[in-house]
């Protein structure tokens, strides 16, 4: 029987280099970038169950409060039950997150072995990945911290590298040093040398060994992370780390805090295909360009184009490219990106520029995902807003009221249970109800299918913060 391994899935990042599809409010790991499943779902599936070579326990998830219900919803969709979901009060990079996971796992099992992985990577050959993980168990049993290095497919400047003590032969090798993201010439030289691998940011170790490494190399993190875990509070099936001690933890990656200082590191080479989808150029490569180098997604048409990515995320939108070369064009209902493929790493500069302008498109996804479902604005004007709202089966919005707006709800799919002050009614398709300003109201979906309605708001202010909650199943303020 293979040794059980507890996956630790990190999913709190924002992925600005894949804007406009990936945004702070709904980053790339939760988006179906490469097929029907999201990257997070594919990662969780890859790290579940097991095979002849490895066996996985239920995954331990680290995320933030904004994503907690997205995490559980997407896991439910693929039939995976997490072992625990730890909520970080704020992002402090990977070192505090990994230490918290290790301390939590060790409390349950002093001999726990952890496989730490980001939630937004693409690994097409799952069996080969499992075999690589099994290879790493040998050094782990000897007390090593194991990282996984990807055999370079080209001279990449967007990745950090691992320099090996000797040329890889398909078995674990001692790590010589970490190398920062190189310039183009250095990357080419390292590719030719044959002793450098891409740093995948995936780790395998015993919880006790990584905790010992933190004590040796990053002792200042021990107290705040331990206190944040000891003072953590259960909340609707999640475990919220205590915010005050967590804020005292240094914002630092595990590479800088521990890995670059430790002398007990081994590397498992992996050559079966991998990408962190760190830019639209990576999406283009992983999508399999045709003979002309073109990737044209759904509702996309390329005419006389070469080495081009055309993609639209709106079902009602068509994107057409004519005579384009080395161009990436990604369209959404509220934003469009057009750039030279060689500038893929500069997309984050566009996000910064939009933030400086105060544009909501910089961080806000068109669909605002909530614990009960989602909504999107269809039209906004002076003193009015029109929304489409989807409520999951069995879910409900909070019991609430508004100071500045009234609302009109029209059900277009499913059945809604509506509370307005002391009146409760069931509405089916094409029925509507008026919510007067100040009325205490609630919307529920009592059915087994998603319920969709159109909401028309009118009033002097239609912002999301005009809300008073009286009861809420999701414990929001």
């Amino acid at each position: 029987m293979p040794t059980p391994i507890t996956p630790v899935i990190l999913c709190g990042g924002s992925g600005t280099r894949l804007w406009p599809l990936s945004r702070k409010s709904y980053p790339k790991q939760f988006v179906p970038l490469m097929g029907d499943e999201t990257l997070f779902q594919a990662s969780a599936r890859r790290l579940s169950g097991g095979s002849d070579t490895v066996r996985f326990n239920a995954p331990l998830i680290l995320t933030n409060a904004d994503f907690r219900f997205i995490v559980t919803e997407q896991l439910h969709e693929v039939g995976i039950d997490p072992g625990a979901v730890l909520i970080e009060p704020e992002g402090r990079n990977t070192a505090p997150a990994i230490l918290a996971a290790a301390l939590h796992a060790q409390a349950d099992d002093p001999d726990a072995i952890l496989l730490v992985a980001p939630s937004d990577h693409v690994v097409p050959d799952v069996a080969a990945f499992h075999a690589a993980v099994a290879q790493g168990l040998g050094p782990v049993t000897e007390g090593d911290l194991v990282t996984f290095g990807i055999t370079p497919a080209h001279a990449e400047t967007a990745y950090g590298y691992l320099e090996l003590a000797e040329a890889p032969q398909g078995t674990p090798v001692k790590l010589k040093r970490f190398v920062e993201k190189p310039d183009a010439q250095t990357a080419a030289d390292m590719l030719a040398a044959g002793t450098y691998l891409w740093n995948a940011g995936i780790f395998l170790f015993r919880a006790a060994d990584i905790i010992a490494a933190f004590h040796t190399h990053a002792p200042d993190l021990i107290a705040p992370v331990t206190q944040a875990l000891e003072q953590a509070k259960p909340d609707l099936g999640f475990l919220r780390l205590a915010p005050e001690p967590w804020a005292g933890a240094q914002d630092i990656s595990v590479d800088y805090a521990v890995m670059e200082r430790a002398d007990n590191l081994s590397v498992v080479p992996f050559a079966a295909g991998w990408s962190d989808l760190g830019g639209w150029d990576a999406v283009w490569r992983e999508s399999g360009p045709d003979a002309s180098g073109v990737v044209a997604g759904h509702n996309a048409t390329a005419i006389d184009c070469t080495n081009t990515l055309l993609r639209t995320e709106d079902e009602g939108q068509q994107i057409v490219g004519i005579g384009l070369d080395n161009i990436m064009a990604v369209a959404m209902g509220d934003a469009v990106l057009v750039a030279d493929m060689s500038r893929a790493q500069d997309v984050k500069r566009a996000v910064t520029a939009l933030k400086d302008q105060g544009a909501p498109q910089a961080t806000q996804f068109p669909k605002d995902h909530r614990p009960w479902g989602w909504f999107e604005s269809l039209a906004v004007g002076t003193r009015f807003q029109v929304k489409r709202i989807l409520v999951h089966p069995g879910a409900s919005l909070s019991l609430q009221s508004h100071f500045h707006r009234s609302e009109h709800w029209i059900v277009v799919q499913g059945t809604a249970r509506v509370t307005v002050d002391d009146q409760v009614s069931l509405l089916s398709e094409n029925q509507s109800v008026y919510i007067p300003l100040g009325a205490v109201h609630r919307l529920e979906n009592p059915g087994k299918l998603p319920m969709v309605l159109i909401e028309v708001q009118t009033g002097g202010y239609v912002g999301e913060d005009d809300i008073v909650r009286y009861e809420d199943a999701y414990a929001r303020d």
Side-chain angles (χ1 to χ4, degrees):
M1 178 70 69
T3 302
I5 298 169
T6 298
V8 177
I9 303 178
L10 309 176
C11 56
S14 58
T16 56
R17 288 176 294 179
L18 287 180
W19 183 91
L21 182 58
S22 176
R23 309 187 195 183
K24 183 179 179 181
S25 70
Y26 202 69
K28 67 175 182 176
Q29 59 264 33
F30 301 122
V31 174
L33 259 169
M34 306 293 297
D36 295 331
E37 283 188 337
T38 69
L39 298 178
F40 170 64
Q41 289 173 322
S43 296
R45 190 188 293 278
R46 184 165 61 248
L47 301 176
S48 294
S51 61
D52 294 338
T53 54
V54 292
R55 178 164 63 93
F56 294 114
N57 297 324
L60 173 61
I61 313 293
L62 280 101
T63 189
N64 61 46
D66 291 340
F67 302 154
R68 65 195 191 280
F69 292 107
I70 299 174
V71 162
T72 53
E73 177 186 329
Q74 292 202 353
L75 289 176
H76 176 74
E77 289 175 356
V78 294
I80 295 173
D81 184 19
V85 180
L86 273 57
I87 306 300
E88 299 176 76
E90 58 181 300
R92 308 302 291 167
N93 216 314
T94 55
I98 290 172
L99 177 57
L103 291 168
H104 184 275
Q106 190 188 46
D108 288 337
D109 178 7
D111 299 319
I113 295 175
L114 308 182
L115 177 63
V116 178
S119 60
D120 54 2
H121 290 184
V122 172
V123 182
D125 193 336
V126 174
F129 179 72
H130 287 180
V133 172
Q135 279 191 329
L137 288 173
V140 165
T141 59
E142 297 175 2
D144 274 9
L145 310 176
V146 172
T147 185
F148 293 80
I150 310 302
T151 302
H154 54 273
E156 178 61 66
T157 61
Y159 298 149
Y161 284 69
L162 306 170
E163 184 179 4
L164 308 182
E166 57 186 282
Q169 301 294 326
T171 57
V173 181
K174 284 294 184 179
L175 176 69
K176 184 175 182 180
R177 66 184 179 108
F178 287 82
V179 181
E180 295 292 335
K181 295 177 183 178
D183 58 31
Q185 184 58 55
T186 303
D189 293 342
M190 290 192 296
L191 180 65
T195 54
Y196 294 85
L197 303 177
W198 290 338
N199 182 4
I202 303 172
F203 303 99
L204 181 70
F205 37 61
R206 289 187 299 210
D209 292 330
I210 191 64
I211 293 169
F214 273 99
H215 275 284
T216 300
H217 304 294
D220 290 347
L221 286 174
I222 298 294
V225 174
T226 300
Q227 292 168 15
L229 195 59
E230 290 175 346
Q231 299 171 27
K233 295 183 178 179
D235 178 11
L236 299 175
F238 307 104
L239 185 64
R240 286 182 177 268
L241 300 174
E244 186 172 343
W246 187 258
Q250 184 182 2
D251 185 333
I252 188 172
S253 73
V254 72
D255 282 359
Y256 289 146
V258 172
M259 299 301 177
E260 293 187 2
R261 305 176 184 183
D263 58 6
N264 59 330
L265 266 76
S266 291
V267 181
V268 174
F270 186 71
W274 167 91
S275 175
D276 73 344
L277 294 184
W280 284 113
D281 55 340
V283 174
W284 169 76
R285 281 193 300 269
E286 293 298 319
S287 299
D290 66 15
S292 298
V294 172
V295 172
H298 183 63
N299 288 351
T301 302
I303 300 172
D304 297 332
C305 294
T306 54
N307 302 326
T308 289
L309 170 68
L310 297 176
R311 182 173 178 135
T312 176
E313 304 302 322
D314 191 327
E315 284 295 322
Q317 185 181 58
Q318 293 282 338
I319 182 170
V320 179
I322 302 175
L324 302 179
D325 178 50
N326 212 49
I327 294 295
M328 51 190 192
V330 182
M332 298 189 69
D334 65 337
V336 177
L337 169 71
V338 181
D340 189 275
M341 194 80 72
S342 65
R343 303 295 297 274
Q345 296 302 307
D346 289 332
V347 171
K348 58 187 176 182
R349 293 174 56 187
V351 177
T352 300
L354 290 172
K355 284 181 181 178
D356 292 342
Q357 298 169 25
Q361 289 92 335
T363 57
Q364 295 301 308
F365 202 71
K367 285 184 179 178
D368 195 325
H369 290 260
R370 298 299 173 94
W372 42 261
W374 54 261
F375 71 83
E376 61 180 340
S377 293
L378 303 178
V380 182
T382 304
R383 296 184 59 83
F384 80 88
Q385 179 171 207
V386 181
K387 291 180 179 179
R388 175 167 55 181
I389 299 175
L390 181 144
V391 183
H392 295 310
S396 66
L397 281 67
S398 61
L399 185 67
Q400 59 187 250
S401 66
H402 309 294
F403 288 115
H404 302 288
R405 68 174 185 258
S406 59
E407 297 172 342
H408 197 152
W409 294 343
I410 306 97
V411 177
V412 296
Q413 178 181 319
T415 301
R417 179 186 292 122
V418 177
T419 299
V420 182
D421 290 329
D422 57 353
Q423 297 293 316
V424 180
S425 57
L426 287 176
L427 302 181
S428 56
E429 293 179 7
N430 208 33
Q431 292 185 314
S432 63
V433 64
Y434 175 66
I435 315 296
L437 185 151
V440 177
H441 58 281
R442 190 202 304 269
L443 176 64
E444 304 170 78
N445 179 0
K448 297 184 181 300
L449 297 173
M451 183 271 291
V452 180
L453 62 78
I454 301 300
E455 177 182 83
V456 180
Q457 304 175 350
T458 56
Y461 180 71
V462 293
E464 287 304 309
D465 54 348
D466 178 23
I467 185 171
V468 178
R469 287 193 177 95
Y470 304 97
E471 296 176 7
D472 184 42
Y474 310 105
R476 295 169 295 174
D477 294 331

